[in-house]
Amino acid sequence: MTATFDLDSLRLTADGLIPAIAQAETGEVLMMAWMNRASIEETLATGQVTYWSRSRQALWRKGETSGHVQRLIEFRVDCDRDCLLLIVDQTGPACHTNRRSCFYTAVREGEEVELMAPEA
Amino acid sequence: MTATFDLDSLRLTADGLIPAIAQAETGEVLMMAWMNRASIEETLATGQVTYWSRSRQALWRKGETSGHVQRLIEFRVDCDRDCLLLIVDQTGPACHTNRRSCFYTAVREGEEVELMAPEA
């Protein structure tokens, strides 16, 4: 059973945003960023992931300058329709620190542990 | 190299919240919810994941009524310190719809596709 996806069904914040989790096909969670309606439309239309940069208040075509693009493999919505999960094919590191994932810091017994180093 | 984890290093929203992604050890992304300082402290102290319910404006001890608890395996912070990734051992379904994950709806060629059914 399928139904046509309606962007209006998403529950955006007062600022018109929705969190989007990017996950590699291997299962690794790469990053979390925000999308707005325009970035979702562009992502679905082009297959290249585009976020909304809250700091720059502009569309953020992931990898546009770095080359570290994300090709959309699957677009998922959660039960409450207030969070997105993007399965992506990540070129290069996802993180601006040049690490594969932004979640490279673990907290173990109150201490921070670095899980991965920047890529060469 | 390790450093003591300081809760004050987290960048919370104006409401004092931070998004937290729960991921199973298998890699499956189960849900996204919000935490505040008290819920983070309780989660780290008890090893049982506690969120902040924005709708109820109260601590949400995941599974307290359903039994579908999340045991914390690892607590991770992202590069910007404005998002958490919790690796968890999930008892039963994570989603209130009785599905393993809240992200059970995919959008494929404009149509919604249900990826998993509620558990029995």
Side-chain angles (χ1 to χ4, degrees):
Chain A
M1 192 186 69
T2 63
T4 301
F5 174 63
D6 184 355
L7 264 174
D8 290 332
S9 71
L10 297 179
R11 292 169 57 202
L12 309 179
T13 66
D15 295 332
L17 303 178
I18 187 167
I21 302 160
Q23 182 181 32
E25 281 184 290
T26 53
E28 193 170 17
V29 174
L30 301 172
M31 57 182 285
M32 195 283 270
W34 294 81
M35 298 182 104
N36 65 359
R37 189 181 176 103
S39 72
I40 294 170
E41 287 173 336
E42 183 167 310
T43 297
L44 290 174
T46 66
Q48 296 293 324
V49 179
T50 293
Y51 299 101
W52 176 256
S53 168
R54 294 178 301 169
S55 56
R56 291 189 288 110
Q57 289 285 301
L59 286 174
W60 168 25
R61 296 183 178 92
K62 173 73 178 156
E64 193 173 37
T65 52
S66 66
H68 300 157
V69 296
Q70 293 178 337
R71 183 173 62 82
L72 182 68
I73 293 173
E74 189 158 84
F75 183 98
R76 296 184 191 160
V77 185
D78 80 343
C79 53
D80 290 334
R81 299 196 167 248
D82 62 2
C83 188
L84 304 174
L85 178 63
L86 311 175
I87 312 299
V88 304
D89 175 16
Q90 170 73 53
T91 297
C95 183
H96 74 287
T97 67
N98 255 11
R99 291 173 175 87
R100 172 76 178 155
S101 163
C102 295
F103 296 96
Y104 56 83
T105 305
V107 176
R108 295 178 182 164
E109 297 178 0
E111 296 292 314
E112 295 192 7
V113 179
E114 187 176 306
L115 301 175
M116 65 196 82
E119 296 181 9
Chain B
M1 193 186 68
T2 63
T4 301
F5 174 63
D6 184 355
L7 265 175
D8 290 332
S9 72
L10 297 178
R11 292 169 57 202
L12 309 180
T13 66
D15 296 331
L17 302 179
I18 187 167
I21 302 159
Q23 183 182 31
E25 281 183 290
T26 53
E28 193 169 17
V29 173
L30 301 173
M31 58 183 284
M32 194 284 270
W34 295 80
M35 299 182 102
N36 65 359
R37 189 182 177 102
S39 72
I40 295 170
E41 288 174 336
E42 183 168 308
T43 297
L44 290 173
T46 65
Q48 296 293 324
V49 178
T50 293
Y51 299 101
W52 175 254
S53 168
R54 294 177 302 169
S55 55
R56 290 189 288 109
Q57 290 285 302
L59 286 174
W60 168 23
R61 295 181 179 92
K62 173 73 179 155
E64 193 173 36
T65 51
S66 66
H68 301 156
V69 296
Q70 293 179 337
R71 185 173 61 81
L72 182 69
I73 293 172
E74 189 158 84
F75 183 99
R76 296 184 191 160
V77 185
D78 81 342
C79 52
D80 290 333
R81 297 195 169 250
D82 62 2
C83 188
L84 305 175
L85 178 63
L86 311 175
I87 313 299
V88 304
D89 175 16
Q90 171 72 53
T91 297
C95 183
H96 74 288
T97 67
N98 255 11
R99 291 173 176 87
R100 171 74 177 157
S101 163
C102 294
F103 296 96
Y104 56 83
T105 305
V107 177
R108 295 177 181 164
E109 298 178 358
E111 296 292 313
E112 296 192 6
V113 179
E114 188 177 305
L115 301 176
M116 66 196 82
E119 296 182 8

